[in-house]
Amino acid sequence: MRCLIETVRRGQIPEARDLDTDCLSLGRGADQDIRVQSRLAGLNHAVIEQEKNGDLRIRAIAPNHILFNGRKLSEAVLTPGDEFSISSVSLTVMEAPETYDLRLEIKEQTGRQNKELEDALWASINADSERSIFSMRRTAWTLSLAILLLFLLMPLAGFVYKPLGIWLRTLPVVSDLSWNSGTISAAHSFFAADCNRCHEQAFVPVRNSVCTDCHKDTPHHVAEEFRESIATLESNRCSSCHKEHNGSHSPALIRHDESLCTSCHKNIKSIAPDSKLADVSDFGDGHPEFQATIATFADDKSQPVRIPLEQKDRLQERTNIEFSHAAHLNKQGVKNADSVNVQLECADCHQPEPGGKYMAKLDFESQCHGCHKLNFDADDPKLELPHGDDRRIQTFLDGYYADRAMKDDYRLLATPPVDRERHRPGEALPPLEHLERKEWVSKYVHNVDSEVMRFRVCGKCHTVSLNQEGNEESSQESNQETSLESSQGDDTQQFWKVEPLAFSAHKFPKADFNHDRHKTQECTDCHDAEKSEHSEDVLLKGIASCRECHTGAAGAENKVASTCIDCHGFHISQNLTMDGKKIKVPPKAGTISGIESPPAGNNVSPRSAVP
């Protein structure tokens, strides 16, 4: 019998827990599935069992029965909407989710409880037993006084008189360590023996100020843009979300149940009317389609935009590169630089970075150069252009063709007549001929630059456009060095540039996805790469592919139960600490408006490498 137990306490975030048991027990005992904190409740007060026909029946074991729908009964069949109570604790039978047999909502009073009528309990005790040596009352008083002495007065004396407290801690049970409700977490273990570090006052819950005294430099738990709309979070106690004394090997101090987030996000407009977020109640059937953060790259400025994966008509990321995954993953293979047919796989280009969470950035030398050579001149088939810098290409071509011209290399058909005439070794050119040769080199470099940039080499993969900045500088230099006739109207005299790449390194910055944890899956289970013909395609299949393996907190057969914080973090402030101070964090290198660019020297704007 699978049960969902939800506990509601006034002023606190509801808590939910999952139980799988044949018999759900309710009572005051520490071994009960649902513990009722009341002296009128029996140690094992009642049980709930599922009959063969599927009915759920509650049966009272204690003599004072249960109050069921206003009537005192010893047993009854439970249906949604029924209410029953044990002492001051009220329980309501709710409509159970699909994979559950029973859902109970427990309402506990946190204020001063109504006075309980203990006379009814003591009246059931045999009067003769009270006069015996081993009467229940005498035994109870003896044990109560022993507990008071051993577990309250002596630890309290050790707290007041420190030497006594140190000695008491060498004993197994009578020190203040007996008050410890459980092993402290590893993060706080260095002061585990100093209870007063957190518990400043006796019988007073740990105050928020105790947490912020140590965690004052921790980023604030409410981002500044949300502080007005969800100001109620600041009135909650830290322990509403952070649970201590759950063991040193506990996964985290943070609650993992769904209601930690859905208590607000299942109806987000009720607390944040201006929110653009959709309501979320459960990953299995109450979560909207994922939204990918992509770069629109408008007006040469990378602007990240979040677009739902279901809106295929808008889901285009302008990357300024021509690339087809389908062509590279062709099962017939592709030809490399040596014209050898090779069959590529995803891992030939995409490798995880250290730690395995994200994929490492690509660069031309490691992933592309093996097949794509940058040859530019048939006379030197092994010579290649530099990659990643427009100006380096121009400088390289200037030097290469000037060297050939000065060495009387006559293989070029466009060589001017003066260069086709032989000169004696060491003979200097007349000034005018030297100027003509220099002018020819400049024009030829412009021609080659235009050809390789636009058509043959760079333009085969990259988006290429006129470099206005470079042309203005070239024009100024030309005006200073020569008064020859300008050729600005000729496209071959224009310098060209490769447009910088821009793409979001992480399509889901609001989620925490780890590739290493999913390495048992094929890449194509999540990425639709084999059908992608263009680099603008966003290769994410959407929430449906995740739901093939993951479901909501309730779980399902052969699926992983997943709660909100398995993928999402809290809305932490990026600018303020818990005490309201500004966080001074230097901007991350290689980012533009939230879009992470590839590192310099790889697939980046060549201009960025120029000082």
Side-chain angles (χ1 to χ4, degrees), residues 284-485:
D285 54 11
H287 194 291
E289 180 57 270
F290 298 149
Q291 296 189 62
T293 298
I294 65 175
T296 59
F297 209 74
D299 299 326
D300 202 30
K301 293 182 179 179
S302 189
Q303 301 294 332
V305 178
R306 296 185 69 197
I307 301 176
L309 294 181
E310 58 195 6
Q311 298 182 12
K312 301 297 184 182
D313 56 328
R314 297 179 56 207
L315 208 62
Q316 295 290 318
E317 185 171 39
R318 183 178 176 185
T319 59
N320 287 328
I321 192 169
E322 291 295 330
F323 184 86
S324 170
H325 279 87
H328 285 76
L329 294 175
N330 192 321
K331 297 186 182 300
Q332 304 302 320
V334 294
K335 293 188 180 298
N336 64 10
D338 299 324
S339 297
V340 177
N341 207 48
V342 294
Q343 189 168 348
L344 298 177
E345 297 179 351
C346 301
D348 290 326
C349 297
H350 299 282
Q351 290 291 328
E353 67 180 14
K357 184 173 183 178
Y358 300 117
M359 303 305 292
K361 295 176 183 177
L362 305 177
D363 70 61
F364 176 81
E365 294 297 332
S366 302
Q367 278 80 28
C368 309
H369 193 215
C371 295
H372 299 275
K373 301 300 181 180
L374 303 181
N375 314 103
F376 68 98
D377 194 304
D379 293 332
D380 289 312
K382 294 185 178 181
L383 188 64
E384 297 184 46
L385 292 172
H387 183 271
D389 192 332
D390 298 334
R391 299 198 181 200
R392 284 182 60 200
I393 293 178
Q394 298 160 14
T395 304
F396 178 85
L397 293 174
D398 275 330
Y400 174 73
Y401 287 109
D403 181 67
R404 289 183 61 174
M406 295 305 171
K407 291 181 179 180
D408 297 330
D409 190 336
Y410 307 115
R411 289 177 292 173
L412 300 175
L413 297 179
T415 306
V418 66
D419 283 337
R420 288 197 293 268
E421 297 177 1
R422 291 192 173 274
H423 299 278
R424 296 176 183 177
E427 181 182 2
L429 288 175
L432 182 60
E433 293 180 1
H434 181 85
L435 186 62
E436 289 178 354
R437 181 175 294 193
K438 184 176 180 181
E439 179 189 2
W440 168 80
V441 170
S442 177
K443 289 183 178 181
Y444 196 82
V445 166
H446 277 86
N447 291 334
V448 176
D449 179 82
S450 175
E451 182 184 358
V452 298
M453 292 287 285
R454 298 166 64 189
F455 308 112
R456 256 194 317 122
V457 183
C458 308
K460 293 178 67 175
C461 298
H462 294 276
T463 299
V464 178
S465 64
L466 280 174
N467 186 356
Q468 300 297 336
E469 179 183 350
N471 292 325
E472 291 175 1
E473 294 178 2
S474 175
S475 177
Q476 292 174 2
E477 292 175 2
S478 177
N479 291 335
Q480 291 175 0
E481 295 182 4
T482 180
S483 58
L484 293 177
E485 185 175 336

Side-chain angles (χ1 to χ4, degrees), residues 544-566:
S545 63
C546 296
R547 284 175 174 162
E548 293 178 3
C549 300
H550 295 266
T551 186
E557 186 176 0
N558 297 326
K559 291 191 176 182
V560 179
S562 304
T563 62
C564 301
I565 66 171
D566 289 332

Side-chain angles (χ1 to χ4, degrees), residues 220 222-228 572-576 582:
H220 202 286
V222 182
E224 43 271 49
E225 60 266 31
F226 303 133
R227 295 189 72 174
E228 293 184 3
I572 302 295
S573 172
Q574 300 296 316
N575 302 311
L576 297 178
K582 288 285 186 180

